[in-house]
Amino acid sequence: MAAEPYDVVIIGGAIMGASIGWFLTQNPDFDGTIAIVERDSTFQYASTTLSAASIRQQFSTPENIALSRFGLSFLKGMPDHFGPDADIGLVAGGYLILASEDGENTLRSNYAVQQQNGADILWLSANELGQKFPWLNLDDLCAGTLGQTGEGWFDAHLLLSTLRKALKSQPSVTLIDGEVDGFKQANNRVTDVTLTDGQTLSAGHIVNAAGPQAGRLCQTLGIDLPVEPRKRCVFYQECPDTVPGLPLLCDPSGFYVRPEGKGFICGMPPAHDPAADHDFTVDYPLFETELWPRLAHRIPTFERLRQTGAWAGHYDYNAFDQNAVLGSHPELQNFMFANGFSGHGLQHGPGVGRALAELIVYGHYQSIDLSLFAFDRLLENRPVIEQNVI
């Protein structure tokens, strides 16, 4: 069977793959063809659709802040670009990141970086926290930072479906339901992508946007990419008492909680956190033994929580430094990475999409310099330390 030729083949059709494809079609200097291959076209198990669907500017790395700021502008402008049905219901509820005495210096350092990079963040002392959030237990807190604007949560399903619908209307884009089986190489390039159904796609550029499966995909090329699926459970709760003005709260003990509909969603990483493979079972004991006691300690009215739902999804977890791996492989120059976001990929999808499109078309970044996240840092043992990984 002859190979179908494309200028760009993107492996993975959720938020990363869809964003890269969309920004390629919008680049005036790109006139090529694009294939986007997705093995789960229902997105039942996609990190995009199983996430907590939130966006924040409270990072400690300027590049991550810049990606979030662009992501926010993209989300807010979607009705203008895609029509009124593309209003994804962005709730500007803010993030409240709390610190104990042990974490105050880190919080203050992060706050300084955020201020320097244009994020609208408010510093709150313990007394100010108590005045603004009277339902909060302050016993072991010394400070917090609150996003006044530019932070909140939204409908991830609508974001993805809007992008996919827009891509379907582009004559240069082919959406393929299929799974990648392997690659062919020649002269330090990946020449072909083979699918399990026998189909072969040839390409000028190949982008790995395979989410939690990105590391497994790279193994077929002999590339060690330390990205693997890590299970994260999201629990939905209802409470007979209100918690007025609750932002997305991130506690020093490791949990987050935010409003969702008539109730709340919450989660935290498990103490034992192995690679999850295809495990989507909900870890209910995690809520009962670890999460609920911490919730009730921080917000005492949550002693009366009633669990009414839960689901499990996967982070595309970068075990090296929990930050993105972006750009070209140092030897296979036409093989590119958009991987390892470790929980903040959805909000960074638009910014990464624009950046990778620029890299493909021009050979360098134009809007945001993301060379900090290059693959080379893995080989040179240069981790990027992001203090605010949630």
Side-chain angles (χ1 to χ4, degrees):
M1 183 183 296
E4 291 287 333
Y6 293 95
D7 293 288
V8 180
V9 173
I10 301 170
I11 304 168
I15 188 59
M16 285 301 157
S19 294
I20 295 165
W22 172 249
F23 279 97
L24 278 171
T25 68
Q26 301 305 294
N27 190 303
D29 296 318
F30 180 78
D31 60 359
T33 56
I34 305 164
I36 303 178
V37 182
E38 172 55 49
R39 68 176 190 159
D40 173 23
S41 59
T42 68
F43 299 100
Q44 178 181 0
Y45 298 108
S47 298
T48 296
T49 54
L50 294 174
S51 75
S54 306
I55 185 166
R56 60 187 163 103
Q57 298 182 43
Q58 293 190 65
F59 288 92
S60 67
T61 307
E63 289 83 352
N64 281 332
I65 298 171
L67 285 170
S68 288
R69 287 171 61 80
F70 177 74
L72 176 70
S73 67
F74 181 83
L75 296 180
K76 292 174 69 173
M78 285 184 65
D80 295 332
H81 294 296
F82 301 102
D85 291 341
D87 183 347
I88 60 170
L90 179 64
V91 177
Y95 270 64
L96 175 62
I97 297 181
L98 302 173
S100 62
E101 185 176 345
D102 289 343
E104 181 180 7
N105 288 340
T106 298
L107 187 71
R108 194 173 293 279
S109 175
N110 295 347
Y111 173 71
V113 173
Q114 294 152 16
Q115 295 293 101
Q116 292 164 9
N117 287 274
D120 185 16
I121 311 301
L122 177 67
W123 178 273
L124 295 169
S125 67
N127 286 337
E128 290 167 329
L129 285 169
Q131 294 170 10
K132 192 170 186 65
F133 306 110
W135 37 260
L136 198 62
N137 175 10
L138 304 171
D139 286 351
D140 53 349
L141 296 178
C142 69
T145 50
L146 175 66
Q148 299 186 97
T149 59
E151 298 187 327
W153 47 93
F154 55 92
D155 187 331
H157 294 78
L158 185 54
L159 170 61
L160 180 57
S161 63
T162 298
L163 283 174
R164 298 275 297 181
K165 182 179 179 181
L167 286 166
K168 286 180 181 178
S169 70
Q170 299 290 318
S172 61
V173 177
T174 302
L175 302 180
I176 299 174
D177 295 341
E179 185 169 2
V180 172
D181 184 50
F183 302 92
K184 296 179 181 178
Q185 302 179 51
N187 300 320
N188 294 323
R189 295 177 63 83
V190 180
T191 58
D192 297 290
V193 179
T194 60
L195 307 186
T196 54
D197 64 1
Q199 189 176 177
T200 301
L201 315 174
S202 65
H205 289 87
I206 296 94
V207 182
N208 180 357
Q213 302 302 317
R216 179 194 59 80
L217 187 71
C218 281
Q219 289 175 1
T220 64
L221 283 167
I223 296 172
D224 183 13
L225 178 70
V227 173
E228 61 189 24
R230 295 283 184 94
K231 185 168 70 173
R232 294 292 182 267
C233 297
V234 182
F235 301 94
Y236 181 76
Q237 314 292 324
E238 293 182 353
C239 184
D241 303 319
T242 61
V243 185
L246 175 67
L248 193 156
L249 183 152
C250 300
D251 194 72
S253 65
F255 75 80
Y256 73 86
V257 60
R258 72 161 174 84
E260 176 67 22
K262 296 180 179 179
F264 310 90
I265 62 172
C266 54
M268 64 178 293
H272 180 57
D273 192 21
D277 198 17
H278 198 69
D279 178 11
F280 290 88
T281 58
V282 175
D283 183 4
Y284 289 103
L286 175 66
F287 177 79
E288 296 288 340
T289 63
E290 299 291 337
L291 184 49
W292 195 0
R294 300 178 196 207
L295 284 163
H297 168 73
R298 185 61 60 215
I299 305 174
T301 194
F302 277 172
E303 290 181 358
R304 303 177 67 192
L305 282 176
R306 180 169 57 90
Q307 184 176 296
T308 58
W311 70 88
H314 289 167
Y315 276 9
D316 59 327
Y317 189 89
N318 179 358
F320 179 68
D321 62 7
Q322 299 178 63
N323 263 303
V325 180
L326 300 175
S328 300
H329 188 271
E331 295 179 3
L332 299 172
Q333 287 289 317
N334 71 326
F335 186 82
M336 307 181 80
F337 305 94
N339 310 118
F341 296 89
S342 305
H344 48 269
L346 180 59
Q347 61 191 299
H348 287 171
V352 170
R354 181 179 65 168
L356 265 290
E358 292 170 352
L359 201 57
I360 289 168
V361 175
Y362 304 115
H364 59 271
Y365 297 117
Q366 290 196 327
S367 302
I368 304 173
D369 184 0
L370 299 177
S371 55
L372 178 75
F373 300 125
F375 182 90
D376 288 355
R377 81 179 192 277
L378 307 179
L379 304 177
E380 298 167 5
N381 195 29
R382 291 185 288 104
V384 175
I385 305 302
E386 170 56 61
Q387 301 289 347
N388 275 352
V389 174
I390 298 172

